[in-house]
Amino acid sequence: VPASAGGESITAPLPGTVWKLKTSQGAAVKAGDVLLILEAMKMENEIQSPVDGVVSEIRVKEGAAVETGQVLIVIS
């Protein structure tokens, strides 16, 4: 899935529900920072940033159901 403006797309590793967003649009993040908590199969999965950058897009809301591979956040 191509990211906007050559950014890094953070995708859902498995289907689940966005339990809690831990960042906001425009926030500076470092590699390893937790971006959101994805609840899947009664487990809370921390979705971390693979890169340093700035959150340019948040494409999901808390409570949203997501599918594997769906873009959640874009970091530029």
Side-chain angles (χ1 to χ4, degrees), residues 8-70:
E8 179 83 20
S9 292
I10 313 307
T11 58
L14 67 173
T17 303
V18 177
W19 186 69
K20 186 150 187 61
L21 287 169
K22 302 285 250 177
T23 191
S24 58
Q25 193 160 333
V29 294
K30 299 274 185 209
D33 284 358
V34 176
L35 301 173
L36 60 88
I37 308 290
L38 185 66
E39 185 181 48
M41 299 175 286
K42 305 288 184 209
M43 300 279 293
E44 291 178 11
N45 300 278
E46 292 186 339
I47 307 302
Q48 299 176 331
S49 177
V51 294
D52 293 355
V54 174
V55 176
S56 57
E57 286 182 62
I58 297 178
R59 297 193 183 176
V60 292
K61 294 191 179 339
E62 290 183 2
V66 297
E67 296 299 325
T68 303
Q70 180 176 337

